[in-house]
Amino acid sequence: MNIKRKLTLRFVLQLATAGAFVLLISAITILWVLNRFVEIRISHDFASIGLAQLVESSEMGKDGVHFDPDLLERVKKNGGWLQSIDENGAVEQSYNTPKDVPKKYAPGEFMSYWMGTAPFPYQLYLWIQEKDGRIFTLLYGEQNDIGMLLEKISSKGTFSSEEGLLLPGDTAARIKQLGGFVQLLDADGSELVSYNRPESAPSAYTLQELALRSIYNERYGFHLASTYDNETGRTWVVCLPNADGIAIGNRLFLPAEERTILIGMAAMFTAIFLSFVFLSLWQAHRFGVPLLHMLTWLDALGKAVYHEPVNHRGVHRSRMRSGKWRRRYRIFADVMHSIDKLSGTLQKDQVLRQQTDSLREEWIAGVSHDLKTPLVSIKGYAHLLAEPQYEWTTEEVRKFSGTMLEKSAHMENLINDLALTYRLKSGARAPDSEEMELNSWLRDMLKQAGASPHYEKEAIQFQAAPSDITVKLYAPWLERVIHNLVANALLHNPPGTILTVSVVASRDGEQITIQFADNGAGMDEVTAARLFERYYRGTDTSATPNGTGLGMAVSKGLIEAMHGHIQVDTALGKGTIIRLIWRDAAARTEHQEQITIDE
């Protein structure tokens, strides 16, 4: 899988994970809001909601029925009490029940309390439900202050113009203690008299306002209860403050439901924001660190530092001690390998460039010496001939001229060889070749080369192939290569060295090899590896008066230009074997660029 697919898959998975996490946070928030709504509704109306949940959450144990402890705690917080009644009216279980509540109810007695026909100090709520084959009867009671006060005031309270409003017993103290007030209205709804009424409370009521204040007490901050006296046409009104005592319109804070929604949304968005911040930091650590490391590495390459950056302990940041990629670097493994490969290539190029500069300096020094040595001889003989104080004989003049011509020819050959190496390096190929029989042609060339006075007699031995071999090669180039290899073997080895030249053809005739094997001193690995370099060692003209010092480089270029290749097998003390190898030399007839070589 390439890096494009890896990154695409990784980012898709991470976005999907982030989306799933957002959905999870949203679901948790919604569940929390719904649960809070249920708690708020239970706290406001436990009689209709909490009793049903008590039955649903109940479990039958060995010692009886068990209810949810949280719901029982809510009963206590609401200031209420709870009883579980069996079919006979006996109380099975009770919770937070006052002492003045009966432990057993007769059917008629219970109905009179519940319906309000008999006085009872608490507001009663009844819940009957069947579950798991058992009938649950729950009785929930809450303090009924406003009902008790209204009953006492309406039955025993009096009003006269002389005495004013007279409340029974300790009713006035109780109303003041609870922070409520009492009003007596005439038939039109206007106030006749009041007790402890705040200025914000109305002094007259319309039919609609009295009804709204009786039903929607949260809007006005007071519970309102009223009773109408048919005989007098007057209406008694008792108001007690809500738990917070503040009307909705005057509240500084939002209702519980709205606060729950705002808190839930704030928590959800905060969680999502923090999650994305964490994801961004994680992404920066996961992807930013490797990218920064690669940029640092590339910057180091621009400054010629060809190794991977390390930390303060000298350890590669991208690898573990075992050498494997660290997890966050694995996705960029292909890029890291490419940069590592580039670093190695640049490092090798730097070493090669340094070696090339060194070889070029050596080559320039060698070529300068090779050109300067014959030039010194030419210049010296020219000065001798130009001196008027000397009278040279004809024989001496001819001798000086011959030496000057010989040195001039050597300089010309050196220049031609230099030009030829560059043309071969630029991709020049051999001219059209003619067919020749390799055994006979090579035998003649070796006889011609062996006749040189610089070589010992019978120093060259030839081993022809068993059968005639017809090839298409450019004879002048091959002749030049033969002379160069013979000179290299016989002039750079100790006296008595024997050079054996043999021709070998493969059975199928597709490969032809000319092998030059000598029993001389051989070469070390460094010399063998750099044998065909143009810039390796300049040859001293005085040591090899018939050579230019570039023979091996020229030979390699000529062989490769004729679609062959050259191999060297040598070791110190074991002699040297040089092989010229062609594959399918007889089948090559294509037209190629022609080069003129001075022979």
Side-chain angles (χ1 to χ4, degrees), residues 371-409:
L371 290 173
K372 187 179 294 184
T373 300
L375 184 62
V376 168
S377 299
I378 294 173
K379 188 176 181 180
Y381 284 116
H383 278 298
L384 289 176
L385 292 174
E387 283 292 335
Q389 57 183 350
Y390 295 106
E391 295 291 337
W392 305 105
T393 64
T394 302
E395 182 179 355
E396 289 175 331
V397 170
R398 288 178 178 175
K399 181 179 179 181
F400 293 164
S401 300
T403 302
M404 294 169 66
L405 288 174
E406 179 184 354
K407 299 300 181 181
S408 299

Side-chain angles (χ1 to χ4, degrees), residues 39 82 104 138 189 213 240 250 295 312 371 398 531 570:
E39 291 181 0
L82 184 69
K104 183 178 176 59
L138 298 181
R213 287 180 176 269
L240 295 179
N250 297 327
L295 291 176
H312 62 281
L371 290 173
R398 288 178 178 175
L531 180 64
T570 183

Side-chain angles (χ1 to χ4, degrees), residues 16 24 120 159 207 337 395 511 550:
L24 178 61
F120 198 77
F159 168 72
L207 184 148
H337 280 303
E395 182 179 355
Q511 179 171 303
L550 295 172

Side-chain angles (χ1 to χ4, degrees), residues 453-464:
H454 299 288
Y455 309 144
E456 296 181 3
K457 293 182 178 181
E458 299 181 356
I460 302 175
Q461 298 180 2
F462 177 63
Q463 296 179 356

Side-chain angles (χ1 to χ4, degrees), residues 470-486:
T470 302
V471 295
K472 274 191 174 182
L473 295 173
Y474 188 55
W477 282 15
L478 186 57
E479 180 181 353
R480 177 69 180 275
V481 173
I482 299 300
H483 282 283
N484 285 342
L485 294 180
V486 169

